[in-house]
Amino acid sequence: MRTSVAERLSGAVLALEGVGILALVAWQIVALVSGDTDSAVSSVALIVLTALGAALALAFAFACARGVSWGRSGGIVTQLLILAVALGAATGQVAHPLTALAVAAPALVGLPLLIAAVRAAARRVRPTEQ
């Protein structure tokens, strides 16, 4: 099956986000090993959940790049969750707007690409009549 440029690009953005989440896992492991955590049990649980999120983002990336619908829908959910995290970083008592912008930037690129990928897949399934 032939995939569109939007599907391949959105898969690439999701893959980069997955690699970024893996970098976060590495950072969390370093913090745990160096004793920079309050609770080892909570840290391990957070590491496992973050690694699961990275694996899902990478799975969505490969599925999206191959033109599989669950990859696109999972990718859209991932972008919305990333935007929610960015909103949390931008607001609150210890807000960091630049951090929020850095977190939101990939999702602001990925979400329109995923929407374009959905539209391209719909055209492939149901070609327009002329």
Side-chain angles (χ1 to χ4, degrees), residues 1-79:
M1 175 170 30
R2 192 171 170 112
T3 58
S4 67
V5 173
E7 287 171 310
R8 291 189 299 272
L9 285 175
S10 58
V13 169
L14 279 166
L16 288 173
E17 290 171 345
V19 169
I21 298 169
L22 281 176
L24 182 60
V25 169
W27 183 20
Q28 292 171 337
I29 291 171
V30 168
L32 177 64
V33 170
S34 67
D36 192 23
T37 59
D38 291 334
S39 169
V41 174
S42 294
S43 294
V44 169
L46 185 59
I47 289 168
V48 169
L49 289 174
T50 307
L52 179 63
L56 285 172
L58 291 170
F60 295 149
F62 290 117
C64 190
R66 294 188 64 206
V68 181
S69 65
W70 63 264
R72 292 186 300 271
S73 59
I76 289 172
V77 170
T78 301
Q79 303 313 301

Side-chain angles (χ1 to χ4, degrees), residues 27 85-104:
W27 183 20
V85 169
L87 179 64
T91 59
Q93 192 171 10
V94 289
H96 294 281
L98 292 178
T99 301
L101 185 60
V103 170

